[in-house]
Amino acid sequence: MTYATDCLNQFPTLWMDTAQEADLSTPLDGDARCDVAIIGGGYTGLAAAITLARRGVSVRLLEGSFPGWGGSGRNSGSVIRGFKNSRSDLIRTYGEDRGRAMADFGARTTDVVMDFISEYGIECDLKRTGWLLPAHNAAGIRRVEERVRTWTADGFDGLDVVGRDELAAMLGSQAYIGGMIDREGASINPLSYARGLARAAIGLGAHIHCQTPATAIKETAGGWSVSTPRGTVTAKAVILATDAYSRGLSAAVDDSYVSIHTFIVATAQLPDAVADTVLPGEHAASDSRRILNYWHKTPDRRVLFGTRGTLNGPRRAQDFSHVEKAMLNVYPQLAGQPIEYRWAGKVGLTRDFMPHIDQPQPGLWTAHGYCGRGVAMASAYGTLLGQTVLGNGSLGELPIPNTPAPRMPPLLMRNVSVVAATQLYRALDVRF
């Protein structure tokens, strides 16, 4: 077991203790054959499994721990539509037609999550109360206003600029100078959502295998073989859907991303007099910083708060002190409230800060690099990837980047760059 796995297991998540959906996965038991083997039991792999199994494709999904163990079960649970880049940025970068198609795709990603939850009756504490984007300075206000202006001009509803006083009332905090609300945003228990997707895939005939890590992928005369300690899976095609947990299976993926840790804390259940002062409208929130803070209030009246962590993950509870300090800067009324949960997860960042679908070799598919927007984006990308495999692999017409993600420097240089960039972004957040 690697250190990264050890350090993550050391800190159990709130979601593990509150997930309503059960884990129905089972380990692989000997060699097996299928049409499509999927590696990775997060949202990408599970959404692809559902999409394929719906059409009668035989699917085996291999997960080293359990569905949702990685980033899909360790995130904050915020469901946010759109790419990090604004509609205007996408058009400038990719051109008018492709940029608008990408923006339109991004604007519909939350619908994919809601459709899965509704169709399969997934119990995941869904609160579709909207997402707040508070701005911490004047530059943040300008970015917020540009997002609202461009999306609204293109006919998308539910976005409004919010002034300082109104935002303070919505947040229960005076820490921000204004912002926006996107009423399509939501929050969920992300692990319960992942388990619900797994249940849905199993119900459609897919085999979801826990405790079955893939150790190697090899092209064969008839397709592909995936080696695991529990047996070999032979398939016509393979989907690699491990995102920030991908090391060692595909050089094309390994060379195209860097992983960072996100750290999250959750308070004990708050007294009503305190809980009522925080996010009284039950919104999810994440601010305009480059090293952003994100938070929401859970159904059992805890405040969950996160931000970027250390490069190699947590070793002890004190490593989360900067998260607790950031939380108290936003909500001083939480001083003295005990912290009951601390945990971490990994996020995959590509060089262009965009997720990518790619086909490194015929019959081998990948999707990764969600850059912190994984709940909605990975659900949508997994669905699109399943549809692409069903359509015999036509990448050219996809409304999203469908070329290899730009190569990263060697791993040591990547890690040095992450540390340097983090310090630079913190400095920029103070001024710009």
Side-chain angles (χ1 to χ4, degrees):
M1 184 178 291
T2 65
Y3 168 72
T5 302
D6 281 336
C7 78
L8 294 184
N9 283 335
Q10 181 183 351
F11 297 96
T13 73
L14 169 65
W15 310 130
M16 293 178 187
D17 288 344
T18 57
Q20 295 171 273
E21 293 277 351
D23 178 9
L24 302 181
S25 60
T26 56
L28 180 67
D29 185 15
D31 296 346
R33 291 182 174 272
C34 61
D35 294 326
V36 180
I38 299 174
I39 303 172
Y43 304 139
T44 303
L46 293 166
I50 289 172
T51 304
L52 292 164
R54 276 173 170 166
R55 294 285 296 274
V57 176
S58 64
V59 175
R60 288 187 181 266
L61 183 150
L62 310 175
E63 164 58 45
S65 187
F66 54 79
W69 178 87
S72 292
R74 295 178 178 276
N75 62 80
S76 70
S78 295
V79 186
I80 304 169
R81 63 174 168 169
F83 294 94
K84 282 185 175 293
N85 306 55
S86 70
R87 179 175 293 268
S88 299
D89 287 338
L90 293 173
I91 291 171
R92 280 193 294 269
T93 302
Y94 296 96
E96 185 76 20
D97 292 342
R98 172 54 65 86
R100 286 189 179 278
M102 289 172 63
D104 290 348
F105 173 86
R108 295 191 297 270
T109 54
T110 50
D111 294 338
V112 177
V113 177
M114 300 308 150
D115 288 347
F116 276 138
I117 292 172
S118 175
E119 182 172 358
Y120 297 107
I122 298 175
E123 297 291 338
C124 59
D125 292 326
L126 171 65
K127 291 192 296 182
R128 200 167 190 179
T129 47
W131 168 60
L132 296 173
L133 174 53
H136 70 293
N137 60 14
I141 288 288
R142 289 193 294 272
R143 290 194 294 272
V144 162
E145 291 175 342
E146 191 268 351
R147 179 185 291 265
V148 172
R149 178 182 58 80
T150 57
W151 280 37
T152 301
D154 285 331
F156 291 97
D157 297 326
L159 292 98
D160 285 299
V161 173
V162 180
R164 180 195 288 266
D165 292 343
E166 184 181 2
L167 180 69
M170 298 169 84
L171 291 174
S173 170
Q174 299 286 335
Y176 296 92
I177 64 173
M180 62 160 269
I181 182 170
D182 182 355
R183 293 179 179 83
E184 292 298 312
S187 63
I188 58 173
N189 179 316
L191 177 60
S192 203
Y193 172 59
R195 288 180 175 178
L197 293 177
R199 170 175 58 78
I202 292 168
L204 291 166
H207 297 271
I208 309 296
H209 297 301
C210 62
Q211 303 300 324
T212 308
T215 56
I217 308 171
K218 182 180 179 181
E219 191 172 11
T220 65
W224 294 84
S225 68
V226 182
S227 300
T228 84
R230 298 179 179 275
T232 298
V233 175
T234 303
K236 298 174 185 176
V238 173
I239 292 174
L240 180 59
T242 44
D243 196 23
Y245 300 79
S246 293
R247 293 286 172 224
L249 292 175
S250 168
V253 175
D254 289 353
D255 293 342
S256 67
Y257 79 96
V258 64
S259 63
I260 63 171
H261 280 85
T262 181
F263 284 19
I264 299 176
V265 302
T267 67
Q269 291 176 291
L270 298 171
D272 288 348
V274 177
D276 289 345
T277 70
V278 177
L279 294 170
E282 307 289 331
H283 304 94
S286 51
D287 67 22
S288 62
R289 291 178 170 85
R290 293 167 180 85
I291 306 298
L292 57 83
N293 300 318
Y294 47 90
W295 65 95
H296 66 92
K297 188 166 61 180
T298 64
D300 58 354
R301 301 175 74 75
R302 306 170 187 269
V303 170
L304 175 152
F305 199 98
T307 190
R308 184 175 296 187
T310 56
L311 180 65
N312 293 318
R315 297 173 182 267
R316 58 192 186 279
Q318 290 86 339
D319 291 339
F320 293 83
S321 61
H322 70 291
V323 189
E324 297 171 37
K325 180 180 178 181
M327 181 181 71
L328 293 178
N329 285 338
V330 178
Y331 291 109
Q333 64 265 45
L334 296 180
Q337 299 298 326
I339 302 298
E340 196 163 293
Y341 291 89
R342 300 172 177 88
W343 72 90
K346 292 167 70 176
V347 174
L349 302 178
T350 56
R351 194 166 188 167
D352 59 359
F353 295 99
M354 290 292 295
H356 285 257
I357 283 180
D358 186 28
Q359 190 179 25
Q361 297 171 247
L364 176 63
W365 303 86
T366 69
H368 69 288
Y370 302 114
C371 303
R373 288 287 175 90
V375 178
M377 197 64 72
S379 298
Y381 265 64
T383 301
L384 189 60
L385 187 52
Q387 293 168 346
T388 303
V389 174
L390 283 169
N392 298 317
S394 176
L395 281 173
E397 297 181 358
L398 293 182
I400 54 175
N402 49 60
T403 56
R407 287 176 63 92
M408 286 280 192
L411 185 59
L412 179 60
M413 291 179 62
R414 273 179 253 177
N415 291 341
V416 171
S417 298
V418 167
V419 174
T422 298
Q423 297 305 316
L424 173 62
Y425 289 164
R426 291 192 193 281
L428 291 174
D429 280 336
V430 175
R431 296 187 58 193
F432 305 104

